[in-house]
């Protein structure tokens, strides 16, 4: 990694702006979910939620060390000389796409991804999981991997939540 002198580093950091797209090389993927990216002699960080719109367990599920990629600058903390980056900001938000192309009451086919005490999460589109509350399951047990027809009951872009109801007879 190229090391910049203090004044060069400061000039580089001051030249970065929120929303700017920069090229960087993934230098290290930490076990705690933070990815370090080398930006021309400055090491930047990308937290796991900024890797993809889809939930990922590890950034290594999507990217690899040594990979050169474009990133969006989320912010520059001059006092800590820290740059935060996003990879997902370079792709359209799938929730906004769902809200644009679907209406409340539309029925879509989805796959159960996980069960929690209060319901089940169902993937209805890449990067989008909606919740069916336990009380709406009428005693039916859905397991991860099950495919089911669901109705879109609510889409809240601000809280990033989709509420679904299960259509009777639509499970495989």
């Amino acid at each position: 990694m190229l090391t910049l002198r203090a004044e060069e580093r400061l000039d580089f950091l001051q030249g970065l702006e929120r929303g700017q797209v920069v090229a960087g090389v993934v230098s290290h993927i930490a076990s705690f979910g933070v990815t370090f990216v080398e930006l021309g002699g400055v090491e930047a960080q990308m937290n796991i939620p900024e890797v993809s719109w889809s939930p990922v367990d590890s950034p290594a599920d999507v990217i690899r060390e040594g990979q050169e990629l474009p990133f969006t600058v989320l912010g520059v903390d001059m006092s800590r000389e820290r740059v935060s980056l996003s990879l997902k900001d370079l792709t359209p938000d799938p929730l906004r796409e769902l809200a644009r192309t679907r209406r409340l009451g539309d029925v879509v086919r989805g796959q159960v991804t996980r069960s929690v005490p209060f319901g089940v999460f169902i993937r209805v589109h890449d990067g989008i999981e909606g919740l069916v509350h336990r009380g709406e399951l009428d005693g039916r047990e859905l397991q991860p991997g099950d495919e089911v027809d669901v109705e879109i009951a609510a889409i809240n872009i601000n809280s990033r939540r989709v509420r679904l109801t299960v259509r009777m007879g639509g499970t495989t």
Side-chain angles (χ1 to χ4, degrees), residues 139-151:
R140 293 169 44 189
E141 289 295 323
L142 297 176
Q143 303 298 320
D146 288 350
E147 291 201 5
V148 62
D149 291 329
V150 291
E151 183 177 315

Side-chain angles (χ1 to χ4, degrees), residues 20-40:
Q20 180 179 354
V21 177
V22 295
V25 176
V26 177
S27 58
H28 179 68
I29 299 173
S31 61
F32 53 91
V34 172
T35 301
F36 296 94
V37 177
E38 194 272 319
L39 295 177

Side-chain angles (χ1 to χ4, degrees), residues 83-167:
V83 179
S84 54
L85 302 173
S86 175
L87 190 57
K88 77 177 185 183
D89 275 4
L90 294 171
T91 58
D93 180 348
L95 186 59
R96 289 189 183 281
E97 181 67 16
L98 181 76
R100 189 179 65 74
T101 61
R102 296 293 185 162
R103 300 287 174 245
L104 299 184
D106 280 0
V107 176
V108 296
R109 189 129 183 102
Q111 184 176 45
V112 177
T113 58
R114 59 195 158 118
S115 180
V116 292
F118 49 87
V120 293
F121 284 94
I122 298 174
R123 182 181 312 111
V124 293
H125 188 277
D126 286 340
I128 301 173
E129 291 182 349
L131 175 67
V132 176
H133 286 278
R134 179 82 45 212
E136 296 179 16
L137 292 173
D138 294 328
R140 293 169 44 189
E141 289 295 323
L142 297 176
Q143 303 298 320
D146 288 350
E147 291 201 5
V148 62
D149 291 329
V150 291
E151 183 177 315
I152 299 173
I155 300 173
N156 187 323
I157 292 175
N158 292 330
S159 66
R160 303 206 54 79
R161 293 187 178 166
V162 177
R163 188 169 49 85
L164 305 168
T165 57
V166 174
R167 300 293 291 200

